[in-house]
Amino acid sequence: MTSLHTNDSTPPTRLMKRWILPADATDAAKLVLDETPVPVPGPGEIRIRVRAISMNYRDQLILKGPFGRLPEQDLVPLSDVAGEIDAVGPQVKGWSVGDRVTNLHVLDWSDGRPPAAMGLGLGALHEDGVLAEYVVLPARRIMRAPANLDHCEAATLPVAALTAWNALYGDHPITADSTVLIIGSGGVALSALQFARAAGARVYATVRNNAAGETLVRLGAAGYVNSTTAHDWGDAIFALSGGIDKVVDSVGVSILTQALAALAPGGEIATLGLFDATARPLDGYALLGKQARIRGVAVGSEAMHRDLVRYVETHDIHPVIDRRIDFIDAPAAYTAQTAGGLFGKVVIELG
């Protein structure tokens, strides 16, 4: 009796897990854990074995929509990834398997002025994000991760840390003689505190509770004002500091009047927050009398990101992480990010 044998040499398809935000979902509890083939990098692309993903406030806006959403389109959410290259596509130069990398938030903004159409980054509109075990990106959209950071720390750089860097150094850069004001204890504010203190600048803060203020002082802040008890906190900051040279406004344009009150003559407000983008009447006398500058800030260029990586390594700066959440519990990261008392970044971690 003859037995027949088949010899199928086709390798089994490798599968990975990813989270999908369905088109009609506005609640993180409705995220769907999906299984799909591991993507293969094409010409000019690399594949990253994802190790960590950090969250930003823009992810909450995208979840709720319509900001960053297209009708009837499912989406892999989140934008900030860190991991190792595990596959390199054809025509890629300068990158190798095993390199530790993060992503660049804005594609093809190498230096100088931002592009006319920056987009909203990965995990928005038509671009799937990084909440997956593997992601494929163009090689021109990645950056070397700082050697002194673990993956979770490195994942905080593409948006929060780079935005803080742009606020401090993108125009009228701070010096050791500068005074800087941060608002609260989120990822951008804490990065700005760390960068400014490494430069020798004095940093002040507004907070909503004294416990956060005291923690900021232990991290190097020269002082703080509780904005829940000091209604005119801009005047209080001015009296405490003698005038602020650079306000890192991570709330939004709604605080511009208070920020102007805190500002020293010739100072700058770098406004970047999306928490409250509702315009309110501006104190024109203060704006003109102080010859102040108000500058909009949105992440930064590849050149800024490269400078940031060098600075983080040189000064051995480690981003502040409030909590690390396992990939399988990713929906809980959305809840954690909106919880009261958050101090630093929420990061999703993969093994």
Side-chain angles (χ1 to χ4, degrees):
M1 182 175 180
T2 303
S3 60
L4 298 177
H5 299 277
T6 60
N7 185 18
D8 186 356
S9 61
T10 303
T13 301
R14 291 177 61 199
L15 299 178
M16 71 169 190
K17 291 182 173 61
R18 64 179 181 177
W19 285 94
I20 300 292
L21 176 61
D24 60 349
T26 57
D27 184 334
K30 294 184 179 179
L31 284 167
V32 176
L33 186 60
D34 180 46
E35 199 168 64
T36 189
V38 173
V40 177
E45 296 179 331
I46 57 89
R47 186 173 66 211
I48 300 172
R49 171 68 172 97
V50 176
R51 299 296 185 182
I53 304 152
S54 77
M55 297 199 64
N56 301 290
Y57 182 68
R58 53 88 80 175
D59 301 318
Q60 301 288 345
L61 298 178
I62 292 169
L63 172 67
K64 299 298 182 185
F67 177 88
R69 301 285 289 275
L70 293 176
E72 301 181 2
Q73 182 163 320
D74 296 346
L75 188 68
V76 178
L78 308 189
S79 65
D80 291 15
V81 66
E84 307 110 359
I85 295 176
D86 87 320
V88 177
Q91 304 168 23
V92 171
K93 297 179 180 180
W95 295 107
S96 302
V97 171
D99 288 346
R100 297 175 67 251
V101 297
T102 66
N103 64 294
L104 295 170
H105 190 74
V106 181
L107 184 63
D108 295 332
W109 180 11
S110 58
D111 200 359
R113 291 185 177 184
M118 284 179 49
L120 296 178
L122 299 169
L125 300 176
H126 63 281
E127 286 195 285
D128 276 335
V130 298
L131 193 53
E133 293 180 316
Y134 295 87
V135 295
V136 166
L137 295 175
R140 68 184 193 277
R141 198 170 193 165
I142 60 172
M143 173 65 65
R144 180 178 66 85
N148 63 316
L149 301 187
D150 66 26
H151 290 300
C152 285
E153 293 169 329
T156 70
L157 267 58
V159 168
L162 184 58
T163 299
W165 182 264
N166 187 352
L168 296 176
Y169 290 105
D171 194 14
H172 296 85
I174 65 165
T175 68
D177 297 325
S178 299
T179 54
V180 174
L181 175 64
I182 62 172
I183 311 297
S185 57
V188 173
L190 290 175
S191 289
L193 169 63
Q194 292 176 306
F195 301 157
R197 288 297 300 129
R202 286 182 298 131
V203 181
Y204 296 86
T206 66
V207 294
R208 291 185 174 275
N209 64 80
N210 291 340
E214 293 303 321
T215 303
L216 290 172
V217 168
R218 289 195 292 273
L219 290 176
Y224 67 91
V225 167
N226 188 326
S227 61
T228 63
T229 57
H231 178 69
D232 294 321
W233 56 260
D235 292 331
I237 286 288
F238 186 92
L240 180 65
S241 66
I244 296 295
D245 299 307
K246 178 86 70 169
V247 177
V248 181
D249 169 18
S250 51
V251 173
V253 297
S254 64
I255 70 165
L256 287 180
T257 294
Q258 293 288 350
L260 277 169
L263 211 62
E268 178 182 88
I269 302 169
T271 185
L272 49 103
L274 295 173
F275 286 96
D276 191 346
T278 304
R280 297 177 187 177
L282 195 63
D283 186 344
Y285 290 106
L287 179 65
L288 298 175
K290 292 187 175 183
Q291 299 188 54
R293 295 177 298 276
I294 300 173
R295 177 169 63 98
V297 173
V299 289
S301 67
E302 180 180 357
M304 290 181 195
H305 198 141
R306 189 173 293 109
D307 290 342
L308 167 62
V309 169
R310 285 195 293 264
Y311 195 83
V312 165
E313 290 179 330
T314 299
H315 296 280
D316 194 23
I317 294 170
H318 290 264
V320 179
I321 296 176
D322 183 274
R323 67 196 71 182
R324 304 179 185 215
I325 294 174
D326 191 88
F327 176 78
I328 203 69
D329 298 321
Y334 282 86
T335 303
Q337 192 190 31
T338 56
L342 194 70
F343 198 95
K345 296 287 287 182
V346 173
V347 179
I348 297 167
E349 192 170 22
L350 290 80

